[in-house]
Amino acid sequence: MKKLSFALLLVVSLTLAACGEEKATPAPTTNNGAATSAPSTGGGSSAITIDAADGGTLAYKTTAVEAAAGEVTVTFNNPGALAHNVVIVKTGDEQPAVDASMASAPDFLPPADKSLGHSKTIATGASDTFTVSLQPGTYSFICTYPAHYTAGMKGTLTVK
């Protein structure tokens, strides 16, 4: 019986090893180690999800994500008690985007020349999805609702 079990285990192991020739891309993690999203393969497109923190916290649950270069579909979920948005900007352009968004109350979204793409400003329990075309590099995602970015509502998007 032990020989049969060992033989079966060996066959299953070899079968799985033969199927695993394609390299898996590791999923990026949040600052607590939980997986947030992984680049999709092929076609120069990927999808990521960014979640606002629960309750009245001015933070994203997701603080670091990766995507493949090309079309990136971003889904933003807001389970929190406050209105939030996600704005993708070049690293270093965070404050100009926040400043420019002040003129667009009540949504507080920057004009096209101050961001690469953004969600709608959404309330509790809502979601929004948008697509942005990105080249390889490091970008920031921020909330431009008043005082949210300065309170720490930001993260990093790495495009490979």
Side-chain angles (χ1 to χ4, degrees), residues 60-89:
Y60 294 111
K61 284 182 186 176
T62 310
T63 58
V65 292
E66 289 182 359
E71 295 295 312
V72 179
T73 301
V74 181
T75 299
F76 173 53
N77 300 309
N78 184 10
L82 302 171
H84 296 298
N85 60 42
V86 169
V87 178
I88 309 291
V89 297

Side-chain angles (χ1 to χ4, degrees), residues 9-79:
L9 180 62
L10 182 61
V11 169
V12 170
S13 297
L14 291 174
T15 302
L16 290 175
C19 292
E21 290 179 20
E22 185 177 327
K23 276 189 164 182
T25 303
T29 58
T30 63
N31 51 359
N32 66 1
T36 56
S37 67
S40 63
T41 57
S45 66
S46 57
I48 60 173
T49 300
I50 299 172
D51 298 321
D54 293 332
T57 305
L58 298 179
Y60 294 111
K61 284 182 186 176
T62 310
T63 58
V65 292
E66 289 182 359
E71 295 295 312
V72 179
T73 301
V74 181
T75 299
F76 173 53
N77 300 309
N78 184 10

